[in-house]
Each structure stands twice: as structure tokens, then as C-alpha cells.
Amino acid sequence: MSVDVQERRRFTAALLGENAAPPPSDPSPQVVRGVALHITAHMLTVATLKGEERFLFERTTSFWRGRDVGPEDVRVGDDVLVRCGGGGRWVVDRLWAQLGRVTGTIVSADGGTVVVDPGHGRPRAAAVIPYRSSGRMAVRHPVLEPGYLFDAVGVREGGTVHTTVPVTTQPPHPAVRTARRPPARRVPEAQSGIVTWYDPAFGRAAHTDPRAHAAGAAYPALDPGSDCGPACDRSDPCLPLPLLSLGATVAVRNDDTGVGGVFPVLNCASAASRFCDRCREGSGGAGGRLAELTLPAFTALGGRPEAGCFTATMEAG
């Protein structure tokens, strides 16, 4: 460990108190979300539900704001997601600013703006495709017409997401023509597929909305007779998932990192039931979406939000 790093950690401990360092036996990363109040080349101050929290940067800290950037590109007022890890509980491994995602079925398209229905009564979301991203988006999403699926990550600006990364390859047909599996006679206890992420507090103040900090999941196979409710518009997933109710739990393991966790089902992931894709990054594996994790849960398992997914094994209920 360099003297510079030692000095920074001593400074952090003095600044944050004796409890700044986690117990040596705690291997899990700390994931914090909030609003950037102050940022320098070496330190970040964030407003969170707990109040102001401070974090240090190392030479290996990486930053994302639509693309890989430097700390000078993160702005005061940005919604930031911070993951601390091997460098210490208060030392940033990676920071994401203004993360946004638009997933669902296209309802309209006008020029470079696409309006998408995420399903299950969630508000429609607008995705702007900037010119600098249009070539990459066109390769993965060649048909921007009503009825076709759309899934991309980018930077939130106001009520829209300026997309920079297509998460998946768009199916070559409208969502209603997606082939469905036959009914399963037996649902396996553990299933392989992909896990994505969603933001239940999209468009709201991250540091004041508890949903932005929740560690939970949206599930694509809620019981249609009760928990799915009158707004239920899910399809039969391409995976033989068991029906679950809100409050049930799912155990998810990231097959690439080996990190797992158990999360309560908080919402319906009707959009996920329409995708039968594979993750473009990672170890490959089976296709189909098992669940959508909230941003803190997805990131704590080692997921990269800009990639949008990871290959996972899940046990439901």
C-alpha cells in the first residue's frame, strides 16, 4: 500500500470517525446512492437518506457519465451511485452519475425521440438517441416503430434518458409475435438466465425517496389473480418461472462474480417477460430474464449498470 493511500485512509478515518472502516471479515461492497454536493479530484460529498457522507477516490477509481469519464465530469446535483470495495468501505471503486434506463415496448417514435411503455402501469419513458450514439443504437435497435422492443442505458436529463448503450439486440419482429414456451410440467428449483436492473424511483429525488435505496426485485411472473392486479399486462416468460406474490423472496447469484443475495419481490417486471435475450457481456449461459433488481442490489452483486445485465442463477420463493 502506498504512503499516499495510507494517508488518505487515515484522513478518512479522522473525518468520519473510528467506525469508518468495516470489520475485516466483511467482504461485501458498500453501495450508496445520493446527490453529489461537492466533488474534487480526491473526494466526493453526497447527500443521502442518512445525511451527508464523504468518500475518497484512488488512482484506480473509475467514473461513468454516459461513458467513462474523469471526476471533473461529475457535476454538483448529479444523482450518483457509488460502489466501494477492496480499497476500503469509504474508498470508491466505481461511480456512476445520472444513470437512466428505458425498457419496454415502443409506443411512438419521432425523429431521435422514442416513447416506451415499461408496462404494469408504470409511467411511459422517453429516450433520446443523440447523433453520436445513433450508429451504435441502429445496429442493435434497427426498427424504431410502435410494437417493437427497446432497452438502452444512458444519462438522465430532465424527464428523458439520452441513451448511449443498447443493452440488448432488438428482436426482428414486434413483441406480440414473440414465440412463447409451452407450459412447463415442472419448474426447476434453480434456474439460469439473465438479471437486469430497474429504477423504482426514476425521475424522483434519489436522496429523499426510499425506493431509490431499496434492495429488492421486480419479478416477471407475479400471480395474475392477486398480486399482478388489474394493471397486469405481463406475457408468459420464455423461462418456466413459478408464480410468486409480492413479498416473496428470490435468491440471486451473479454467475460471473459468484456474489449472491436474497431479495424481496417489490414489483411486477412485465417488460422483462417480453424479452428472451442473452446478456452480451459475461459468461453467456441461458437466455431469458429472471428478474429486475433495483440499482443498489444489482450493483452490490457486482453488476455493471452500463452493461445492463449479468448472467445469473436464481431460486424463487
Side-chain angles (χ1 to χ4, degrees):
M1 184 185 298
S2 69
V3 174
D4 180 53
V5 173
Q6 288 177 335
E7 288 297 325
R8 288 191 193 179
R9 292 187 183 167
R10 279 196 290 268
F11 175 71
T12 304
L15 185 67
L16 299 171
E18 296 179 356
N19 296 324
S25 60
D26 181 9
S28 60
Q30 175 183 223
V31 177
V32 175
R33 187 176 181 185
V35 174
L37 296 178
H38 181 70
I39 186 167
T40 70
H42 305 294
M43 179 180 287
L44 170 72
T45 304
V46 180
T48 72
L49 285 178
K50 299 178 181 179
E52 291 187 14
E53 299 187 52
R54 294 175 177 85
F55 303 89
L56 292 182
F57 303 143
E58 290 188 325
R59 292 186 180 91
T60 56
T61 300
S62 57
F63 305 83
W64 187 93
R65 199 180 192 279
R67 56 187 175 84
D68 288 329
V69 297
E72 68 278 2
D73 295 300
V74 181
R75 306 168 189 172
V76 171
D78 276 356
D79 173 18
V80 294
L81 184 72
V82 175
R83 181 171 65 199
C84 303
R89 187 169 178 81
W90 302 101
V91 179
V92 179
D93 170 51
R94 185 160 175 80
L95 179 151
W96 296 267
Q98 292 295 105
L99 268 167
R101 183 174 192 164
V102 177
T103 306
T105 305
I106 298 173
V107 294
S108 67
D110 182 10
T113 301
V114 179
V115 178
V116 172
D117 179 10
H120 198 62
R122 298 182 192 173
R124 292 179 176 181
V128 175
I129 303 175
Y131 176 76
R132 64 180 178 275
S133 306
S134 59
R136 180 190 303 175
M137 292 297 300
V139 170
R140 297 285 181 177
H141 289 69
V143 184
L144 300 180
E145 296 180 2
Y148 283 78
L149 293 177
F150 185 90
D151 192 1
V153 172
V155 176
R156 283 195 290 110
E157 296 188 14
T160 64
V161 175
H162 288 236
T163 57
T164 58
V165 182
V167 171
T168 188
T169 299
Q170 181 189 60
H173 46 70
V176 294
R177 290 174 51 193
T178 300
R180 295 297 163 189
R181 60 168 179 81
R185 294 182 178 273
R186 179 179 176 273
V187 177
E189 293 183 0
Q191 294 179 278
S192 296
I194 69 173
V195 165
T196 63
W197 64 266
Y198 80 112
D199 185 2
F202 179 81
R204 300 175 178 87
H207 68 296
T208 59
D209 192 330
R211 289 173 294 183
H213 307 265
Y219 187 68
L222 287 186
D223 186 348
S226 56
D227 293 278
C228 199
C232 187
D233 58 352
R234 70 174 180 84
S235 303
D236 291 330
C238 63
L239 293 170
L241 297 176
L243 294 179
L244 295 181
S245 297
L246 295 175
T249 58
V250 289
V252 178
R253 185 189 73 233
N254 183 334
D255 291 343
D256 297 319
T257 65
V259 181
V262 178
F263 307 101
V265 175
L266 304 176
N267 209 332
C268 176
S270 62
S273 68
R274 297 176 173 83
F275 288 86
C276 292
D277 53 342
R278 286 177 167 80
C279 203
R280 294 195 293 117
E281 297 192 9
S283 57
R289 301 192 176 190
L290 297 165
E292 297 176 342
L293 295 181
T294 58
L295 261 175
F298 181 90
T299 309
L301 297 191
R304 297 173 58 246
E306 68 272 35
C309 59
F310 56 72
T311 304
T313 301
M314 184 185 77
E315 293 185 43

